[in-house]
Amino acid sequence: MNGMNDEARVIHDINAELASAGLNANIVVRDLDSRREISTSTDAAMPIASVVKIPIALALLTRISEGDLDGSQPITIEPERFDTAGQTGTSRFHHPAQIALDDLVMLSVCFSDNTATDALLDIVAPAEIQSDLDRLGVRGIHIRHHLGGLLQTPLESLPESEAHLAYDLARSSPSPGAGHRIWQLDVSRANVGTAAGLTDLLQEIWRPSRIDPAVASRLRSLMAGNIIRHRLAPDFASDATTWSSKTGTLLNLRHEIGVIDHADGQSIAVTALSESSNPASAQPAAEAALGAAARALHNLLR
Amino acid sequence: MQSKTDQSFSISKTYIIPGMDLIEACRTFTAVSELGSMTLGAAASGIPQPVASRRIAGLEEQFGARLFDRTGRGVSLTPFGQDMLASAKRLVDLADAMMLDADRARLRPVSLAVPTSCTTRDLAVLTASVISAGVHIDIHSAPPHRRTEDLSSRRIRAALHTVPESEGTWRVDLGCAHRAPLPGPVRLSALRRSRSPVSGRGPQLSGMRLRLLIEDDVPHVRDRIRRAAEVAGLLPSQVVTDSSDPAAVAAVLGDGDLLLCSSVEAENLGLHWSPLIEPTIARGYSLAATSGDDVSVLGRFSDEIADCLGGVRAVASEGGEREIG
């Protein structure tokens, strides 16, 4: 290993640590001002699960800001059948409710509320959000379906005692970036993104060049209010920093994209996309390993 | 001469010499023909001369022709006798070879495949006990999959098969061995890595790896441990199946990992041992053999086999012993 620089050594160690945690991950960190970027592996498209709520929120907030939509417009939310573990917000409602568009966007981003997000997709179709991204010049993200589809995997049709079979099926993908028999994990059918593309999106939200700065600011504050803080947040949150992020979890996928704003003004985007080969539902040690890896990579940019 | 022969023996053609007598008669026939004398041939065969004469006469009667010309001083082979001599010799040689084979087969030991963890002393006690019962036994140590393969290909006659604990004749309780004393019985969930370790004295189970011996690289042990580890939130890398037992033990001594093993194995390795209580896992063993005889012979030494395995006789059933087809 002589001649190997520190950065390569750290990346090597991080990858070894991730592998021992049963994770195949791509982590990208980027200094949003100097644009210096480090990643753990080559870029490949992955199903992004709830991370897709960021471009959806961006599209909605842009239309509200431009006056195409009214943020105070009440939307009727019908009680959904997503009364499964891990669901939040209106997904667990038992009665119809009237909620303003602005607040649905908040529920979607801060609470990762699937029902609220699908209500937003009923107003702005996936194809329109896709063309917004194309206009922004953000590549690698494809939005194809509603979030309800994420709750129709084999996991939902198996009894709890057999749930590990769904995770077993999920991990038996031929290779990262390829097709999958579970369509929600098939890169050609699901909502997908690449770590580089998602980092470009964060770049645009934090250092807006084409989107309205007011819209960007609103979205940043929503991401700062993310209530799901068990994955990367323990390694990034402190009184001297702001950690704003969005997670995505589906079967064996564990993602989080976010930006850490340091008190000294440095902002570093962190995009962690991972898939696990361990057929367990709760994997606290893998979450911790992902957080530690992202932090170690981030430290190379400090 | 041919006509004379026909006359002499035409009345006794139905007489058949029994098999064993035929062989003995042929033995006398070859001896007499080699020595050219009925008296010497009888002596060489260790039988009285009249018996030899009677046997030769019996043969001639059976064949329907004379084997010897009785000359003044001795006997000489007739042309018919010369024709018959080669096959008589073959029959005698074959009978001798058969008796030797029978001796060898009687002495051939019952080959028994046992786990590699059995100690020489325990195996010696088993061997001595079986030999004192008049059966020879030959012990082969082999890992579990080899024992199964060798038995099904009949390279060995009997094997101690590893089976789910509930189906075994013998049971070996498993626990965790460590280079330092463990605080008490081990739950697998105690190995779960904590986000922030609590400092203190004594071995910290949190984050430790559990190593499996080759003997436990079987579905009913390995996969149950792996599944329990998944459920308990352990990292997949915390349950390790090594390519060899020395590699596993080296990691236990060097890195302070835990080893899944029996208390006897831990003692032999000089390690401290505590039972695993969650999940509780035991090895099961049953005796399998190519013949039911071998199963019933070896089955009489159940206690000695239990000692070899470092386990106990399972209380449940005796159904573990079986004969393979």
Side-chain angles (χ1 to χ4, degrees):
Chain A
M1 295 242 187
N2 282 334
M4 187 186 253
N5 63 28
D6 281 352
E7 191 177 302
R9 190 184 300 275
V10 170
I11 291 171
H12 175 268
D13 292 346
I14 287 172
N15 281 330
E17 191 67 28
L18 289 169
S20 87
L23 293 174
N24 171 27
N26 186 17
I27 306 177
V28 174
V29 292
R30 184 192 292 174
D31 184 308
L32 294 179
D33 294 307
S34 75
R35 304 270 182 129
R36 193 168 158 235
E37 183 176 298
I38 304 172
S39 69
T40 57
S41 64
T42 52
D43 210 29
M46 263 202 210
I48 53 176
S50 292
V51 171
V52 78
K53 287 163 186 164
I54 297 300
I56 293 171
L58 177 61
L60 264 294
L61 291 174
T62 303
R63 279 162 182 71
I64 291 168
S65 148
E66 289 170 353
D68 297 342
L69 291 170
D70 176 7
S72 64
Q73 180 196 347
I75 308 289
T76 304
I77 300 291
E78 296 296 334
E80 282 282 1
R81 62 277 172 214
F82 305 152
D83 202 13
T84 44
Q87 294 302 301
T88 58
T90 60
S91 298
R92 309 204 88 144
F93 278 18
H94 284 257
H95 306 285
Q98 298 245 310
I99 298 174
L101 205 49
D102 271 336
D103 296 331
L104 285 178
V105 176
M106 181 278 291
L107 286 169
S108 173
V109 176
C110 297
F111 289 75
S112 201
D113 181 333
N114 287 330
T115 305
T117 312
D118 279 355
L120 298 177
L121 284 174
D122 289 340
I123 296 165
V124 182
E128 291 180 61
I129 298 168
Q130 186 69 55
S131 54
D132 276 16
L133 289 173
D134 294 344
R135 264 198 304 282
L136 281 179
V138 173
R139 311 267 166 239
I141 302 172
H142 294 278
I143 302 174
R144 302 182 173 118
H145 62 83
H146 281 51
L147 277 293
L150 300 184
L151 295 152
Q152 290 155 16
T153 69
L155 180 62
E156 283 71 34
S157 39
L158 285 168
E160 202 173 334
S161 60
E162 305 290 330
H164 63 102
L165 297 177
Y167 294 97
D168 212 24
L169 196 57
R171 67 174 175 164
S172 64
S173 157
S175 67
H180 202 290
R181 282 201 265 183
I182 300 177
W183 73 263
Q184 292 91 340
L185 299 177
D186 182 343
V187 168
S188 64
R189 284 184 284 175
N191 296 331
V192 299
T194 63
L198 292 166
T199 309
D200 289 344
L201 183 61
L202 292 173
Q203 172 91 40
E204 191 57 38
I205 296 168
W206 258 258
R207 300 289 185 265
S209 64
R210 298 189 188 175
I211 64 177
D212 179 355
V215 168
S217 161
R218 170 90 179 114
L219 189 48
R220 289 199 299 273
S221 79
L222 287 177
M223 288 174 72
N226 179 16
I227 58 154
I228 299 167
R229 304 189 80 77
H230 65 284
R231 191 160 294 150
L232 301 189
D235 289 289
F236 286 96
S238 81
D239 284 358
T241 58
T242 309
W243 172 245
S244 315
S245 71
K246 182 74 200 78
T247 55
T249 309
L250 176 67
L251 291 171
N252 65 334
L253 302 180
R254 285 175 177 75
H255 309 321
E256 184 157 353
I257 72 168
V259 173
I260 180 165
D261 294 306
H262 289 278
D264 62 8
Q266 190 183 19
S267 294
I268 295 173
V270 179
T271 304
L273 303 181
S274 80
E275 55 184 4
S276 168
S277 60
N278 184 14
S281 169
Q283 295 186 31
E287 309 269 8
L290 199 63
R295 181 75 203 197
L297 210 58
H298 154 276
N299 290 347
L300 293 174
L301 293 182
R302 284 293 284 169
Chain B
M1 185 186 272
Q2 193 59 47
S3 62
K4 186 173 146 196
T5 314
D6 284 344
Q7 278 172 357
S8 312
F9 297 105
S10 56
I11 48 165
S12 7
K13 274 200 170 154
T14 53
Y15 177 69
I16 304 285
I17 298 180
M20 192 61 91
D21 291 352
L22 179 67
I23 292 165
E24 289 311 308
C26 285
R27 204 183 290 283
T28 309
F29 169 35
T30 54
V32 170
S33 75
E34 270 166 26
L35 297 168
S37 150
M38 200 65 84
T39 317
L40 291 177
S45 305
I47 50 171
Q49 197 267 340
V51 175
S53 296
R54 220 170 24 249
R55 283 183 179 172
I56 297 296
L59 263 187
E60 290 175 331
E61 211 170 322
Q62 171 104 26
F63 294 154
R66 284 207 173 276
L67 295 167
F68 293 105
D69 278 330
R70 275 74 174 170
T71 58
R73 290 191 298 117
V75 294
S76 62
L77 284 170
T78 62
F80 175 72
Q82 274 166 11
D83 286 347
M84 293 307 290
L85 184 60
S87 46
K89 274 186 171 156
R90 272 209 307 280
L91 189 61
V92 169
D93 287 348
L94 196 60
D96 288 347
M98 194 175 179
M99 293 312 289
L100 287 173
D101 282 350
D103 287 347
R104 258 203 299 278
R106 238 189 357 262
L107 291 174
R108 210 187 92 188
V110 178
S111 43
L112 173 69
V114 300
T116 49
S117 60
C118 299
T119 66
T120 305
R121 193 194 153 79
D122 289 328
L123 292 173
V125 170
L126 173 65
T127 306
S129 308
V130 176
I131 287 176
S132 69
V135 178
H136 289 258
I137 184 169
D138 185 16
I139 306 255
H140 300 266
S141 289
H145 61 278
R146 269 282 304 281
R147 302 202 295 273
T148 312
E149 279 168 21
D150 285 356
L151 185 66
S152 58
S153 64
R154 298 183 181 241
R155 274 193 291 273
I156 50 165
R157 275 165 61 181
L160 289 172
H161 267 327
T162 172
V163 294
E165 167 212 346
S166 56
E167 295 163 21
T169 312
W170 297 274
R171 198 185 79 240
V172 182
D173 291 324
L174 293 175
C176 294
H178 190 51
R179 62 188 181 186
L182 292 160
V186 177
R187 289 178 200 276
L188 202 58
S189 53
L191 271 58
R192 174 180 166 144
R193 195 144 86 172
S194 53
R195 285 194 91 106
S196 179
V198 179
S199 56
R201 279 171 298 152
Q204 298 268 338
L205 291 180
S206 171
M208 271 192 192
R209 282 184 295 254
L210 178 65
R211 302 220 166 232
L212 268 57
L213 295 168
I214 302 290
E215 186 63 25
D216 294 317
D217 194 6
V218 291
H220 55 268
V221 177
R222 180 197 58 221
D223 293 355
R224 277 173 65 192
I225 288 280
R226 283 208 183 281
R227 181 72 197 130
E230 284 162 13
V231 171
L234 269 60
L235 285 173
S237 57
Q238 284 184 272
V239 177
V240 188
T241 317
D242 283 291
S243 54
S244 76
D245 289 350
V249 176
V252 172
L253 297 173
D255 305 342
D257 291 351
L258 295 173
L259 181 72
L260 185 74
C261 66
S262 69
S263 60
V264 173
E265 284 166 331
E267 197 184 321
N268 291 334
L269 291 168
L271 296 169
H272 300 272
W273 188 85
S274 271
L276 185 65
I277 54 169
E278 193 183 278
T280 55
I281 294 211
R283 294 177 194 147
Y285 289 99
S286 69
L287 181 64
T290 49
S291 116
D293 282 356
D294 288 346
V295 171
S296 61
V297 166
L298 291 172
R300 294 206 296 271
F301 303 94
S302 185
D303 291 338
E304 287 83 353
I305 291 175
D307 288 343
C308 289
L309 294 169
V312 293
R313 249 191 101 91
V315 267
S317 72
E318 317 252 316
E321 294 164 8
R322 64 200 170 90
E323 178 186 345
I324 65 163

